[in-house]
Amino acid sequence: MKTPESTVNSTERPDFDEKKAYVAQEEKGTAFFDDGREIELLHFVYGHPSIDEIRGSPTDVLKAIDEYGRTKKYLMNVGDDKGRIVANLIAEVKPQVMVELGGYVGYSALLFGDAVRKAGGKRYYSLERNPEFAAVIMSLVDLAGLSDVVRVVVGSSAESIKRLHAQGDLEHIDLMFLDHWKPAYTTDLKLCEHLKLVTPGTVLAADNVIHPGNPPYLEYVRSSVEQKRLADQSGKTNGVDIQTEFGRNADMYKEREGEEKLSTEIRGNPNLVYESKLVNSFEPTGLPVSAAIRTSALKQADTR
């Protein structure tokens, strides 16, 4: 869908270097995360023959994580190709404050936190619901020497955002990377709009919105102000039919983490005008993907 107030562009996909490919993701029905591999990764990195050279170097820690993903087990990281796109975006935007929703083992926190520091930024918040994953992130962030910039926050994304805002730690988001529980993309964005954390000038980078897909998020950021106002009045798009929209992906964390609660009572700011750009890239395994990797809040429409 393309409207006068919300446009979508795309870019060509570069070639993928097969030497960088991770081992294939396990077949459907087989666990591909939270089966012990995250702790195994930590032992792999700290037991690496080059551990002395790795210490204090975000780049070398990332190389060690990639080595594990290429030689041991699949890791659901953003990867080098998509990661480079966001890192270049950070260099362009130069955010003082960046937030990521969903940290997993810290690949993005290391890559993007380092980029934020190099761009002159002050803080990178990594919000991760799983306390074990968060512990892995903290350990690798410390190993890389990024603890002065990266702060790991444990808990659900919505509750963490509310808490950081209430404490006065988070007053505005310059750049936000969404790579967590897919049903929460839209509701968390609306929460950030409601708290005035996302305002004109904020840039969003969202992963996996085409594959495996996130129709509610794409519909929201592509809708015109008029369409969002009508939906807001009717309450039509405020709730998310999780099973219909996301199917199996909705249950990925449920067994270990319990039922996730969406902040469906928050209606956001329908007057924000967004512009989205689709960027073609690759998963770490080499699978070609397209992601609405960049969405910019351009302005706020007249509320009259």
Side-chain angles (χ1 to χ4, degrees):
M1 175 173 61
K2 182 176 180 180
T3 71
E5 292 178 318
S6 178
T7 59
V8 179
N9 302 308
S10 62
T11 62
E12 294 297 321
R13 180 181 290 112
D15 292 330
F16 181 76
D17 182 357
E18 293 294 340
K19 295 191 298 294
K20 301 189 305 180
Y22 279 19
V23 295
Q25 179 179 320
E26 285 78 358
E27 295 182 1
K28 188 174 181 179
T30 304
F32 60 90
F33 73 100
D34 200 16
D35 59 352
R37 71 185 66 196
E38 294 81 16
I39 302 302
E40 184 180 305
L41 166 69
L42 206 56
H43 285 284
F44 177 85
V45 173
Y46 276 90
H48 199 282
S50 302
I51 185 61
D52 290 338
E53 290 75 26
I54 289 173
R55 290 184 187 279
S57 171
T59 299
D60 287 336
V61 177
L62 287 166
K63 286 180 180 178
I65 296 173
D66 282 333
E67 183 182 342
Y68 177 91
R70 291 165 186 158
T71 62
K72 302 295 183 181
K73 294 180 182 178
Y74 169 81
L75 296 170
M76 56 177 186
N77 294 328
V78 64
D80 178 63
D81 287 85
K82 288 190 294 181
R84 195 181 317 118
I85 294 169
V86 179
N88 290 339
L89 182 59
I90 293 168
E92 176 189 338
V93 174
K94 294 180 172 55
Q96 287 298 296
V97 176
M98 181 170 174
V99 174
E100 75 166 349
L101 306 182
Y104 189 42
V105 294
Y107 192 99
S108 50
L110 294 167
L111 181 59
F112 304 154
D114 187 36
V116 166
R117 183 166 65 180
K118 289 177 178 176
K122 296 179 180 178
R123 179 63 68 190
Y124 185 96
Y125 289 100
S126 177
L127 277 54
E128 172 53 53
R129 187 184 182 206
N130 185 309
E132 292 178 357
F133 296 171
V136 173
I137 300 172
M138 292 178 197
S139 181
L140 294 178
V141 164
D142 179 68
L143 179 65
L146 285 171
S147 297
D148 59 324
V149 175
V150 178
R151 177 179 171 185
V152 182
V153 182
V154 186
S156 73
S157 51
E159 292 306 314
S160 295
I161 290 167
K162 293 175 186 176
R163 185 170 63 255
L164 288 169
H165 179 262
Q167 293 171 344
D169 294 331
L170 186 60
E171 297 179 347
H172 186 262
I173 298 172
D174 301 310
L175 180 55
M176 183 160 69
F177 179 58
L178 298 90
D179 192 22
H180 60 323
W181 193 50
K182 304 303 171 273
Y185 275 35
T186 309
T187 53
D188 283 345
L189 173 55
K190 288 182 178 181
L191 172 62
C192 291
E193 292 175 346
H194 174 73
L195 296 175
K196 295 182 173 56
L197 296 172
V198 168
T199 62
T202 296
V203 177
L204 313 173
D207 197 14
N208 300 319
V209 294
I210 302 298
H211 177 81
N214 199 325
Y217 176 82
L218 285 179
E219 179 181 0
Y220 184 73
V221 297
R222 291 176 173 181
S223 292
S224 68
V225 166
E226 182 180 20
Q227 289 169 326
K228 288 192 289 183
R229 285 174 178 171
L230 289 172
D232 179 58
Q233 291 169 7
S234 67
K236 178 181 177 182
T237 61
N238 204 48
V240 178
D241 187 339
I242 296 175
Q243 288 303 325
T244 299
E245 298 286 4
F246 300 97
R248 172 176 170 263
N249 289 326
D251 297 323
M252 288 172 62
Y253 296 92
K254 189 174 179 180
E255 183 176 343
R256 281 290 300 273
E257 303 301 322
E259 191 74 48
E260 179 73 85
K261 295 181 179 179
L262 298 175
S263 297
T264 55
E265 76 283 0
I266 303 297
R267 297 189 178 278
N269 180 4
N271 300 308
L272 278 178
V273 178
Y274 290 106
E275 179 182 63
S276 294
K277 181 179 181 181
L278 291 174
V279 179
N280 297 313
S281 187
F282 297 92
E283 293 288 356
T285 57
L287 177 70
V289 292
S290 295
I293 201 75
R294 176 171 181 166
T295 301
S296 304
L298 299 179
K299 62 181 180 179
Q300 177 155 313
D302 194 333
T303 57
R304 291 178 297 176

